[in-house]
C-alpha cells in the first residue's frame, strides 16, 4: 500500500500573528509529552554528571 502524503491548507480570515499563535498552541499541545520526556532526560543527564563530578572531586 502506498503512503499518502498529507497536505494541509488553511483558509483563515485571521491575522498572520493570530494564525501563527493558534498553530503554535496546537503543536505544543500535540508534542507536550515528547517535550516533557526530553526535558526529564536532559535533567537526569545533568544529575548524573553532577553526581559523577562530585565523586571525582572527593577522590
Amino acid at each position: 500500500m502506498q503512503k499518502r502524503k498529507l497536505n494541509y491548507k488553511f483558509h483563515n480570515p485571521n491575522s498572520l500573528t493570530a494564525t501563527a499563535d493558534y498553530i503554535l498552541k496546537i503543536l505544543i499541545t500535540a508534542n507536550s509529552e515528547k517535550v516533557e520526556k526530553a526535558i526529564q532526560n536532559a535533567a537526569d543527564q545533568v544529575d548524573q554528571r553532577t553526581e559523577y563530578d562530585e565523586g571525582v572531586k572527593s577522590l
Side-chain angles (χ1 to χ4, degrees):
M1 182 189 280
Q2 188 177 12
K3 284 190 174 182
R4 287 185 154 187
K5 183 178 178 182
L6 298 177
N7 187 9
Y8 296 98
K9 294 182 182 182
F10 294 95
H11 172 72
N12 189 356
N14 297 325
S15 69
L16 185 61
T17 305
T19 302
D21 187 48
Y22 181 70
I23 293 172
L24 179 62
K25 287 179 183 177
I26 291 171
L27 293 174
I28 288 172
T29 302
N31 291 309
S32 63
E33 188 174 321
K34 285 182 182 179
V35 171
E36 287 177 17
K37 285 181 182 179
I39 291 170
Q40 187 61 47
N41 287 339
D44 291 344
Q45 288 178 358
V46 169
D47 286 343
Q48 289 174 355
R49 288 182 187 160
T50 303
E51 290 172 4
Y52 176 78
D53 290 344
E54 288 174 356
V56 171
K57 289 178 185 178
S58 66
L59 291 176

